[in-house]
Amino acid sequence: MENEPIRIALVDDHALFRSGIAALLKEFDDLMIVFEASNGKELQFLLPEHQPIHVVLMDIKMPGLNGFDTTEWISSNYPQTAVLALSMFDESTDIIKMLKAGAGGYLLKESSPEELYAAITTIHRDGFFSNELVSDKLIKSLKSGRHIEDWYEQYNLNQKELEFLRLCATELTYKQIAETMGVAERTVENYRQSLSEKLEIKNRVGLALFAIKNKLVSLGNETL
Amino acid sequence: MENEPIRIALVDDHALFRSGIAALLKEFDDLMIVFEASNGKELQFLLPEHQPIHVVLMDIKMPGLNGFDTTEWISSNYPQTAVLALSMFDESTDIIKMLKAGAGGYLLKESSPEELYAAITTIHRDGFFSNELVSDKLIKSLKSGRHIEDWYEQYNLNQKELEFLRLCATELTYKQIAETMGVAERTVENYRQSLSEKLEIKNRVGLALFAIKNKLVSLGNETL
DNA sequence: ATTTCACTACGTAGAAATACGTTTTTTTGG
DNA sequence: CCAAAAAAACGTATTTCTACGTAGTGAAAT
């Protein structure tokens, strides 16, 4: 175990911060900082030349290529390399965006050295690292996200129109939709017309997209 | 604090399990089991008559109305009432479905009484309760979800067809799509035809839905 | 080397589905 | 009963779907 150190890359635009982290991690002799980069572009250049890199410590806000895009690049080009996000802020949108980009964990910069060490080793072993910060934000975000079911009052849509809207996101023709809803074909045409006025949408594809966007229909593929 | 106990409802189809939990929680004198129900339907009947209920302990698999739908009903009709899911299984799909339905936490039935007590008080105080089980599953689920970018080799789609597929999920007409792609209208028609054969899709709406389902297009509204 | 096959691009034509403006009938609520 | 809204209708234009053909290119086959 001890003879093969975890190879780490450090990406942050503040040189002083990088030095600090480097000094901190030098205390742990199973960690090894292989290189540092001041932004994503630099990392894209350095990463291929220093393989293997096991863990990348990544800042989010950087000039040039930012943390989100850099993380995405890493996880599609070097899927074996784990990314641990380091940030000043506990913004839930930032956290979730980083995780979706492929980061395996998220740590605040005000954490203790021991926490950082634990995060690095965990993320190297399991591919991900979770702490209270991350899980709380995730759950909270899941729990909000719902409650957006008032939008259709905004547009004055009635029950029939909603049902029609749902069926628009379907391979059914209007004729079949009319049968399904138990109304005449012409009536369905009325629904389409009033909806495209109210929602300012040009055609059926637009209606389908709208229905999905507003979660009227589930495509059954929401991993999360 | 102690003079106002947390009022709890217990929903599970196994009477014996309910009795066991009830006996367990009797030890904690700041908890109070107000009523028990053997499925969601029963809860819908009993909940209004026993207000307020602070926390519902909810099984997932039940005859009649299941845990998912019941949780959804509670969180839209009694948003002040927190739901703690109790399950035998640590299936990540179950966990995520319950959380999306509005549950504030997820606990395995093999947990200890102390864990259950902690979960109940936490969920009552914060509205949610997170443990390693939940956060691990959430992060793992976020980290998968990606990596499904090989499907189009399955179907032998080329670059042009992919671009066309993306544009299908758009309000553009085929004529406009042809202009965008810089090919003849008829050629675009070929793309449509070959795609509907390869993917066994009837019409353009189907293509649009497919494009979205496979994340070729982003509707920019993914809270999570 | 020529053929065969697969793939890509383009053309016409007609049928089916969808879109648009307007009007009439039916339902609904006060 | 009346007024307003919903449902149904007509005619026409546009878009989308389906089916039949032509042609070039490049790779594999013989």
Side-chain angles (χ1 to χ4, degrees):
Chain A
M1 274 287 177
E2 303 300 316
N3 43 8
E4 288 191 17
I6 302 176
R7 295 168 58 87
I8 298 174
L10 187 47
V11 192
D12 195 299
D13 55 330
H14 299 94
L16 206 53
F17 178 78
R18 292 202 306 271
S19 310
I21 295 289
L24 264 174
L25 294 185
K26 212 175 290 177
E27 302 301 314
F28 304 97
D29 50 344
D30 53 341
L31 304 186
M32 173 181 172
I33 294 198
V34 180
F35 70 88
E36 301 178 11
S38 67
N39 62 56
K41 269 287 166 228
E42 227 176 289
L43 174 117
Q44 289 184 330
F45 182 74
L46 291 169
L47 190 54
E49 309 188 335
H50 294 85
Q51 287 298 307
I53 292 295
H54 302 118
V55 178
V56 175
L57 304 182
M58 173 92 63
D59 190 24
I60 295 183
K61 296 180 203 307
M62 292 180 295
L65 201 60
N66 66 37
F68 305 118
D69 298 336
T70 311
T71 302
E72 216 150 51
W73 180 84
I74 292 176
S75 44
S76 61
N77 293 95
Y78 295 85
Q80 302 304 330
T81 300
V83 175
L84 176 61
L86 288 178
S87 171
M88 305 279 297
F89 314 104
D90 60 345
E91 279 295 319
S92 60
T93 55
D94 284 354
I95 296 178
I96 289 166
K97 273 170 73 182
M98 280 304 281
L99 293 175
K100 293 197 79 165
Y106 191 103
L107 204 64
L108 289 181
K109 286 190 177 175
E110 60 192 17
S111 306
S112 71
E114 288 73 27
E115 284 176 298
L116 178 57
Y117 175 73
I120 291 175
T121 52
T122 306
I123 210 172
H124 177 238
R125 175 163 40 88
D126 301 337
F128 67 96
F129 161 77
S130 79
N131 48 11
E132 266 200 49
L133 171 69
V134 169
S135 43
D136 284 12
K137 296 290 180 187
L138 276 177
I139 293 180
K140 270 188 189 166
S141 170
L142 267 181
K143 280 182 71 69
S144 61
R146 316 163 12 81
H147 299 306
I148 323 168
E149 276 118 57
D150 309 319
W151 57 266
Y152 55 82
E153 293 177 3
Q154 274 274 324
Y155 295 107
N156 283 319
L157 307 192
N158 58 38
Q159 217 51 41
K160 290 281 192 181
E161 288 171 328
L162 279 178
E163 186 186 356
F164 169 71
L165 201 46
R166 251 189 296 274
L167 292 169
C168 270
T170 289
E171 291 192 31
L172 296 175
T173 69
Y174 283 155
K175 186 180 291 190
Q176 294 169 314
I177 291 179
E179 289 170 16
T180 308
M181 294 181 63
V183 297
E185 214 174 325
R186 302 292 183 175
T187 307
V188 151
E189 166 57 19
N190 277 9
Y191 298 149
R192 185 201 59 75
Q193 195 152 357
S194 68
L195 282 178
S196 51
E197 282 168 15
K198 290 176 184 171
L199 307 176
E200 296 179 54
I201 286 176
K202 290 191 188 67
N203 51 36
R204 175 162 172 183
V205 181
L207 291 176
L209 296 179
F210 181 88
I212 295 169
K213 212 181 292 197
N214 291 96
K215 312 216 185 289
L216 275 180
V217 292
S218 138
L219 295 183
N221 67 329
E222 302 112 16
T223 328
L224 245 187
Chain B
M1 277 285 177
E2 303 301 314
N3 43 7
E4 287 191 16
I6 301 175
R7 295 169 57 87
I8 296 173
L10 187 48
V11 193
D12 194 299
D13 56 331
H14 298 95
L16 205 53
F17 178 78
R18 291 202 305 271
S19 311
I21 295 289
L24 264 173
L25 295 186
K26 211 174 293 178
E27 302 301 314
F28 305 96
D29 51 343
D30 53 340
L31 304 187
M32 172 181 173
I33 293 197
V34 180
F35 70 88
E36 301 177 10
S38 66
N39 61 57
K41 268 286 166 225
E42 226 176 288
L43 174 117
Q44 288 184 329
F45 183 74
L46 292 169
L47 189 54
E49 307 188 338
H50 293 85
Q51 286 299 308
I53 292 296
H54 301 117
V55 178
V56 175
L57 303 183
M58 173 93 63
D59 190 25
I60 295 183
K61 295 179 203 306
M62 292 180 296
L65 201 61
N66 66 38
F68 305 118
D69 298 335
T70 311
T71 302
E72 215 149 51
W73 180 83
I74 292 176
S75 45
S76 61
N77 293 96
Y78 294 85
Q80 301 304 330
T81 299
V83 176
L84 176 62
L86 288 178
S87 170
M88 305 281 295
F89 314 104
D90 60 344
E91 279 294 320
S92 60
T93 56
D94 284 354
I95 296 179
I96 289 165
K97 273 169 74 181
M98 280 304 281
L99 293 176
K100 293 196 81 163
Y106 193 103
L107 204 64
L108 289 181
K109 286 189 177 176
E110 60 191 19
S111 305
S112 71
E114 288 73 26
E115 284 177 297
L116 178 57
Y117 175 72
I120 291 174
T121 51
T122 306
I123 210 171
H124 176 237
R125 175 166 38 89
D126 301 337
F128 68 97
F129 161 78
S130 79
N131 48 11
E132 266 202 48
L133 172 69
V134 169
S135 43
D136 283 12
K137 295 289 181 189
L138 276 177
I139 293 181
K140 269 189 190 165
S141 171
L142 266 181
K143 281 183 69 68
S144 63
R146 314 160 17 76
H147 298 306
I148 324 168
E149 277 118 56
D150 308 319
W151 57 267
Y152 54 83
E153 293 177 3
Q154 274 276 322
Y155 295 107
N156 282 320
L157 308 191
N158 59 36
Q159 217 51 40
K160 290 281 191 182
E161 287 171 329
L162 279 178
E163 186 187 356
F164 169 71
L165 201 46
R166 251 189 297 273
L167 292 169
C168 270
T170 289
E171 292 191 31
L172 296 175
T173 69
Y174 284 153
K175 186 181 291 191
Q176 294 169 314
I177 291 179
E179 287 170 17
T180 308
M181 294 182 63
V183 296
E185 217 174 321
R186 178 58 178 84
T187 305
V188 151
E189 168 56 22
N190 267 73
Y191 300 150
R192 186 199 60 75
Q193 198 154 354
S194 68
L195 282 179
S196 49
E197 283 169 14
K198 290 176 184 171
L199 307 176
E200 296 179 54
I201 287 176
K202 290 190 188 68
N203 50 36
R204 172 160 174 185
V205 181
L207 291 176
L209 297 179
F210 181 89
I212 294 168
K213 211 181 292 196
N214 291 97
K215 311 214 186 288
L216 274 180
V217 292
S218 140
L219 297 183
N221 66 329
E222 301 111 16
T223 326
L224 246 186

